């Protein structure tokens, strides 16, 4: 298997790689061992640190916190899809009066930190909406703006001949959009939309700032009660990783399937999420993608 | 409006901390991310797998959880660093996973024929890396790296919750003194972030324009 960097290794190179592998393993194991030993010595990963998680009350709380996280992410994504569709339509509009405000809204919410947005939502509307909805609305505004750009890219990725043919048949712009471009763009955009779900799910952890009772806030309560930051943090991280990794794999699989079928794809952003992170993700995130370039 | 003008020193000092977090974390994350990318494209399976594991863990964990573990965990094992240093560690660990992926995709974006041609005319590994692979890879990674830097700018705001008095913290603290001026403060601080973000985006597009090559 020849790659960009290396030719197919011969016997000498293979021996070199084996030696490198042995040295690399020793260095990595030493690092890992040092960290684990430090943590064990500080009573951070001993059974005692994980003991709270055998308590049925704590487990029930953990379940509820995970449910809150999933609910917040799901509601935010559904709302963000609607928000994104509306503003993508505005941005693709022929009327400047619709286009410019849409661009301004999309660019604004993508350029500011989600933390700032959540804080402002909570401080401004928190007494009306409560913590959960302040978080969800902030997530909707940010992810909706990112999705609006995804939709626009998806519409633009449909081969030009499709819309030209539709116009040639005498369809109006609205019909071309609804009958020809959008249906084709939806399959194209599915992987990117699922990736955005990962970003949204990661970003729900920012509810910690306003103690919105999701997984990160719950983890904080456990840590302050039992002083086991590493153990509790590892359990929270594991929950997020399992869910997000599954979603990412689904997105990758869909993308690969579309490439095989020779469809256009909106490339998955490998950026953190607002993360992102950001989304960096990605996001992603997010991502975390910046203003359009 | 007056709130913004009266408290400009506070807001500016907040953004000065934001910029410090951004620059230091950006440099550390780039170094760590380059190391990880090197591991992932190396021909040594053990290193590849270790790099992949690191990236998988940190790309799928919320940054806030990373912060929570680092900020509360380091003192628990007896390491006393300042809040600023702990924020840098958290941001760098998280961002380096994304930097690694950007660099790796940049290397993978090069057609294999380029390197094969370099080998065919007798270039050594170092020459092919220096003259053929890296110059092309750098061009391919400018847009994703700019996105990562922008995301990092926004992610520094999380340090607000963990004891660093950067720009977003100023919103939190100033609203306590001027509860009616929330939206002015929000707009002013948001504007500050937008300046940083647009500077990064503008710099990246300049680089891209200068480096555009026909493929």
């Amino acid at each position: 298997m020849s790659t960009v960097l290396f030719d197919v290794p011969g016997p000498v190179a293979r021996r070199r790689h084996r030696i490198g592998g042995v040295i690399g393993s020793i260095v990595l194991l030493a690092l890992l061992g040092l960290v684990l030993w430090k943590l064990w010595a500080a009573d951070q990963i001993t059974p005692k640190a994980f003991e709270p998680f055998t308590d049925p009350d704590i487990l029930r709380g953990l379940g509820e916190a995970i449910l809150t996280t999933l609910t917040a992410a799901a509601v935010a994504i559904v709302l963000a899809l609607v928000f994104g569709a509306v503003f993508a339509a505005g941005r693709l509009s022929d009327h400047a009066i619709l286009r410019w405000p849409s661009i301004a809204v999309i660019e604004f919410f993508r350029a500011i930190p989600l933390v700032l947005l959540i804080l402002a939502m909570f401080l401004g509307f928190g007494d009306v909406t409560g913590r959960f909805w302040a978080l969800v609305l902030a997530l909707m505004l940010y992810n909706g703006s990112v999705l609006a750009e995804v939709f626009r890219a998806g519409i633009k990725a449909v081969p030009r001949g499709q819309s030209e043919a539709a116009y040639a048949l005498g369809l109006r712009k609205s019909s071309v959009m609804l009958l020809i471009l959008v249906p084709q763009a939806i399959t194209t955009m599915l992987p990117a939309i699922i990736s955005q779900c990962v970003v949204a799910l990661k970003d729900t952890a920012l509810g910690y700032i306003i103690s919105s009772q999701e997984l990160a806030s719950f983890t904080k309560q456990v840590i302050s009660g039992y002083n086991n930051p590493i153990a509790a943090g590892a359990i929270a991280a594991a929950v997020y990783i399992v869910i997000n990794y599954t979603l990412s794999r689904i997105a990758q699989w869909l993308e690969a399937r579309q490439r095989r079928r020779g469809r256009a794809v909106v490339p998955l952003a490998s950026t953190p999420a607002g993360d992102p992170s950001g989304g960096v993700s990605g996001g992603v995130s997010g991502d975390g993608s910046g203003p359009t370039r | 409006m007056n709130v913004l003008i009266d408290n400009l020193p506070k807001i500016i000092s907040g953004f000065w901390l934001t910029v410090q977090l951004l620059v230091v974390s950006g440099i550390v994350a780039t170094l760590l991310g380059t190391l990880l990318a090197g591991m992932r494209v190396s021909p040594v399976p053990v290193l590849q797998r270790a790099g992949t594991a690191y990236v998988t863990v940190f790309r799928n964990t919320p940054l806030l959880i990373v912060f929570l573990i680092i900020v509360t965990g380091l003192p628990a094992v007896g390491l006393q660093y300042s809040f600023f240093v702990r924020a840098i560690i958290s941001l760098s660990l998280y961002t380096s996973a994304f930097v690694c992926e950007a660099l790796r995709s940049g290397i993978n974006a090069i057609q294999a024929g380029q390197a094969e041609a370099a080998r065919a005319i007798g270039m050594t590994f170092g020459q092919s890396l220096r003259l053929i692979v890296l110059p092309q890879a750098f061009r391919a990674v400018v847009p994703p790296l700019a996105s990562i830097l922008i995301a990092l700018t926004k992610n520094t705001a999380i340090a607000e919750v963990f004891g660093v008095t950067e720009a977003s913290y100023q919103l939190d603290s100033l609203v306590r003194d001027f509860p009616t001026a929330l939206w002015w403060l929000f707009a002013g601080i948001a504007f500050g972030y937008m300046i940083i973000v647009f500077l990064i985006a503008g710099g990246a597009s300049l680089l891209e324009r200068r480096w555009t090559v026909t493929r």
Side-chain angles (χ1 to χ4, degrees):
Chain A
M1 166 63 200
S2 152
T3 62
V4 170
L5 295 171
F6 306 101
D7 219 333
V8 181
V12 178
R14 273 207 296 275
R15 188 171 332 125
R16 254 210 323 265
H17 295 173
R18 266 203 300 277
I19 293 168
V22 170
I23 293 172
S25 311
I26 291 170
V27 172
L28 288 173
L29 284 174
L31 262 176
L32 197 66
L34 179 73
V35 171
L36 290 178
W37 176 72
K38 267 261 184 215
L39 292 176
W40 184 271
D43 231 6
Q44 283 298 327
I45 49 171
T46 42
K48 197 173 132 263
F50 285 99
E51 203 170 320
F53 288 96
T54 55
D55 177 352
D57 283 346
I58 298 262
L59 279 179
R60 194 175 312 118
L62 180 69
E64 279 167 10
I66 292 172
L67 196 65
T68 308
T69 286
L70 290 174
T71 316
V75 176
I77 276 289
V78 170
L79 291 174
L81 285 170
V82 177
F83 182 96
V86 169
F87 279 86
R91 187 153 189 177
L92 288 163
S93 163
D94 291 334
H95 306 289
I97 195 153
L98 287 174
R99 200 167 56 238
W100 284 108
S102 305
I103 292 176
V105 166
I106 291 171
E107 294 301 346
F108 177 77
F109 287 119
R110 285 168 69 217
I112 63 167
L114 192 49
V115 173
L116 197 67
L117 193 55
I118 291 172
L119 269 176
M121 287 304 236
F122 178 63
L123 295 170
F125 309 120
D127 44 5
V128 183
T129 57
R131 292 166 197 276
F132 177 83
W133 283 100
L135 172 68
V136 166
L137 288 175
L139 286 171
M140 173 197 82
L141 290 171
Y142 171 70
N143 289 294
S145 300
V146 176
L147 283 175
E149 284 301 285
V150 169
F151 293 163
R152 198 170 64 110
I155 300 267
K156 291 242 185 275
V158 177
R160 265 196 61 167
Q162 296 285 333
S163 58
E164 284 170 358
Y167 281 122
L169 290 173
L171 293 177
R172 291 229 173 84
K173 180 167 172 169
S174 57
S175 317
V176 172
M177 271 283 176
L178 291 174
L179 298 174
I180 310 294
L181 297 180
V182 171
Q184 296 189 64
I186 285 177
T187 48
T188 303
M189 295 178 308
L190 211 50
I193 292 172
I194 295 177
S195 297
Q196 201 56 39
C197 292
V198 173
V199 174
L201 200 67
K202 277 167 67 179
D203 284 343
T204 53
L206 295 175
Y208 174 99
I209 302 160
I210 55 174
S211 321
S212 63
Q213 296 311 310
E214 37 51 70
L215 186 49
S217 310
F218 174 80
T219 307
K220 179 192 182 179
Q221 288 158 13
V222 174
I223 292 173
S224 52
Y226 298 92
N227 190 25
N228 58 348
I230 306 292
I235 285 179
V239 172
Y240 281 112
I241 289 168
V242 167
I243 300 169
N244 289 330
Y245 186 68
T246 313
L247 281 172
S248 307
R249 288 313 295 256
I250 292 172
Q252 282 168 8
W253 173 78
L254 275 172
E255 194 187 27
R257 195 180 68 157
Q258 275 166 17
R259 279 194 201 286
R260 278 203 303 277
R261 292 182 176 181
R263 293 253 178 79
V265 275
V266 177
L268 291 180
S270 59
T271 46
D275 286 153
S277 50
V280 235
S281 154
V284 44
S285 268
D287 263 130
S289 53
T292 42
R293 284 179 287 274
Chain B
M1 193 71 205
N2 287 339
V3 167
L4 284 178
I5 297 163
D6 296 346
N7 293 293
L8 208 56
K10 272 188 179 171
I11 293 172
I12 300 264
S13 72
F15 271 109
W16 174 230
L17 260 178
T18 295
V19 170
Q20 282 179 19
L21 283 171
L22 170 65
V23 171
V24 180
S25 312
I27 291 168
V28 178
T30 307
L31 295 174
L32 195 55
T34 310
L35 178 74
L36 285 165
M39 282 165 67
R40 284 201 72 173
V41 298
S42 77
V44 181
V46 175
L47 296 182
Q48 281 174 16
R49 273 198 287 274
T52 310
Y54 180 95
V55 169
T56 304
V57 166
F58 280 95
R59 272 181 63 184
N60 291 308
T61 308
L63 176 55
L64 196 124
I65 298 283
V66 178
F67 259 98
L68 192 57
I69 292 175
I70 297 290
V71 172
T72 52
L74 287 181
V77 296
L79 295 166
Q80 300 295 347
Y81 296 125
S82 71
F83 281 126
F84 182 79
V85 172
R86 282 182 261 169
I88 296 281
I89 294 172
S90 314
L91 287 166
S92 304
L93 285 175
Y94 179 83
T95 309
S96 61
F98 292 92
V99 173
C100 162
E101 287 308 273
L103 296 176
R104 203 172 62 99
S105 68
I107 288 175
N108 288 339
I110 302 161
Q111 292 147 4
Q114 297 277 333
E116 281 163 5
R119 283 197 287 268
I121 58 171
M123 283 190 182
T124 60
F125 176 73
Q127 281 174 320
S128 128
L129 202 62
R130 204 174 61 242
L131 301 168
I132 309 293
V133 175
L134 286 183
Q136 295 190 59
F138 277 130
R139 281 167 202 185
V141 300
V142 168
L145 277 185
S147 297
I148 290 170
L149 266 183
I150 288 168
L152 176 60
T153 308
K154 299 192 292 179
N155 284 337
T156 55
I158 296 181
E160 182 258 339
V161 202
F162 296 100
V164 181
T165 57
E166 46 61 76
S168 295
Y169 170 84
Q170 301 301 334
L171 177 77
D172 229 351
S173 74
L174 287 172
V175 163
R176 283 197 195 103
D177 304 337
F178 310 98
T180 50
L182 168 68
W183 299 109
W184 277 114
L185 291 165
F186 172 66
I189 293 168
F191 182 70
Y193 279 108
M194 286 174 95
I195 293 174
I196 300 177
V197 165
F198 285 121
L199 279 177
I200 296 172
S205 65
L206 269 181
L207 274 181
E208 260 191 287
R209 263 207 298 278
R210 275 190 48 190
W211 280 357
T212 309
V213 279
T214 44
R215 285 261 166 112

